[in-house]
Amino acid sequence: KTNVETSAYNKLNFYLRQIQSKTDFIPETAIVLGSGLGNFSDKVKKVCIINYSDIEDFPISTNKMHAGRFIFGYIESKPVVLMDGRIHYYEGYSMEQVVTPIRIMKMLGAKNLILTNAAGGIDSDFKPGDLMVITDQITSFVPSPLVGPNIEELGTRFPDMTHVYASDLINKLESIGKKYNLNLRKGVYLQTTGPNYETPSEIRAYKILGANAVGMSTACEAMVAVHCGMKVCGISCITNMAAGITGQPLDDKEVVEVAANVADKLETILYNLVIEM
Ligand code: HPA
């Protein structure tokens, strides 16, 4: 093993020890809350909250809208950890730093990962306020978070990405959607670096490539989760139509507003998914 290789894993263990000195909670499912979904934490019987800023050296979100904390607790009898506030590549962190909280949640014991986000709709059948179950992803426009010495303790050098999103979880999400009449969509999520929104020409290109929605997070998290053996699912809140689809300029206020408006629907899905898992 090279020094670098040992140090990436050592660093993760350094964070892990700090968290485990504050709580011995063992989560089964990890949930990443996207923009406007922070209220989901009201549904959790909280056991412990740890701010990222209280973990020495831990990457901290610079986005005021994302609080930046782990919330440990129960949804009914299910032990969960919420990642309330994520770190984005566009903030200037390396991809390795961006995915650090995902790896930490795995090392704390989480076997399942539920990802949520706000995304722009590329599919012309979509409309703002729709929820899309992610069936697959395109990460080719962002650096892979797995570049660098492989962390052997977590997974293999060349991980298979044929089934990033677990088909039984996709099916569960669909049946929850039917039960609650939520009109869920399905599709492929494409990640960009952000922070700029896309041009209409980029969106036309992404559409040809098979993307149904576009966003600035999630796919890199799903990738490392698969690498370290977690079972993954994801839901995008379509907050706006992507650039050029309607001709309207994009506005981050609209993104946050629409996400907040469909938060109830998404919370119903998350709650039911967790208790069925
Ligand atoms: N593009 C990229 N990311 C996004 C968008 C978008 O249109 N909407 C919400 N997040």
Side-chain angles (χ1 to χ4, degrees):
K1 250 177 227 174
T2 68
N3 284 333
V4 186
E5 192 174 353
T6 345
S7 88
Y9 192 61
N10 282 350
K11 186 129 210 186
L12 290 169
N13 273 309
F14 173 67
Y15 300 139
L16 188 69
R17 278 196 302 277
Q18 294 181 65
I19 293 167
Q20 287 177 333
S21 74
K22 298 183 208 297
T23 182
D24 59 3
F25 191 87
I26 299 176
E28 186 178 296
T29 297
I31 306 172
V32 180
L33 300 177
S35 312
L37 287 171
N39 286 341
F40 183 69
S41 62
D42 295 346
K43 294 244 192 329
V44 175
K45 276 165 259 145
K46 296 177 197 62
V47 170
C48 179
I49 297 178
I50 300 176
N51 293 320
Y52 304 156
S53 59
D54 291 331
I55 307 167
E56 191 185 334
D57 242 14
F58 203 74
I60 294 163
S61 173
T62 59
N63 187 336
K64 286 190 260 350
M65 260 124 44
H66 296 268
R69 55 193 189 154
F70 289 120
I71 300 170
F72 299 91
Y74 292 91
I75 294 176
E76 300 206 357
S77 66
K78 302 286 188 178
V80 299
V81 53
L82 306 184
M83 194 177 142
D84 184 17
R86 57 154 59 91
I87 294 128
H88 296 84
Y89 184 66
Y90 62 69
E91 295 176 79
Y93 289 107
S94 68
M95 270 295 181
E96 186 173 275
Q97 287 174 304
V98 167
V99 299
T100 287
I102 305 293
R103 288 172 159 162
I104 288 295
M105 294 191 292
K106 158 76 182 184
M107 290 166 78
L108 285 164
K111 294 177 173 59
N112 310 307
L113 176 66
I114 306 174
L115 297 164
T116 66
N117 61 42
I122 296 179
D123 192 315
S124 31
D125 285 346
F126 292 178
K127 53 182 193 322
D130 278 349
L131 294 173
M132 183 189 89
V133 176
I134 306 177
T135 55
D136 199 3
Q137 63 185 27
I138 298 171
T139 57
S140 320
F141 296 94
V142 294
S144 168
L146 300 175
V147 165
N150 184 45
I151 306 177
E152 291 292 328
E153 291 86 346
L154 294 182
T156 62
R157 174 74 290 190
F158 299 108
D160 177 53
M161 293 290 148
T162 309
H163 300 289
V164 173
Y165 296 91
S167 53
D168 60 328
L169 296 183
I170 294 173
N171 292 341
K172 269 207 175 88
L173 285 167
E174 285 197 283
S175 65
I176 293 165
K178 285 210 181 80
K179 181 169 167 192
Y180 290 92
N181 224 339
L182 299 173
N183 191 27
L184 293 189
R185 312 297 191 139
K186 278 206 290 191
V188 175
Y189 177 94
L190 182 146
Q191 181 173 2
T192 64
T193 63
N196 57 289
Y197 292 117
E198 302 71 30
T199 64
S201 298
E202 285 167 334
I203 293 302
R204 275 193 298 277
Y206 297 159
K207 186 173 188 158
I208 292 168
L209 295 178
N212 301 95
V214 60
M216 305 173 192
S217 65
T218 302
C220 59
E221 297 162 349
M223 182 190 284
V224 294
V226 168
H227 173 253
C228 68
M230 297 174 93
K231 201 163 158 176
V232 180
C233 67
I235 307 162
S236 289
C237 169
I238 305 299
T239 52
N240 57 281
M241 293 315 288
I245 304 249
T246 65
Q248 261 190 320
L250 309 192
D251 174 358
D252 63 317
K253 281 193 222 53
E254 179 193 352
V255 167
V256 174
E257 237 172 70
V258 175
N261 287 341
V262 289
D264 279 356
K265 272 209 230 174
L266 188 43
E267 285 170 15
T268 301
I269 299 174
L270 291 179
Y271 190 89
N272 282 280
L273 181 63
V274 169
I275 59 179
E276 280 182 32
M277 256 179 347

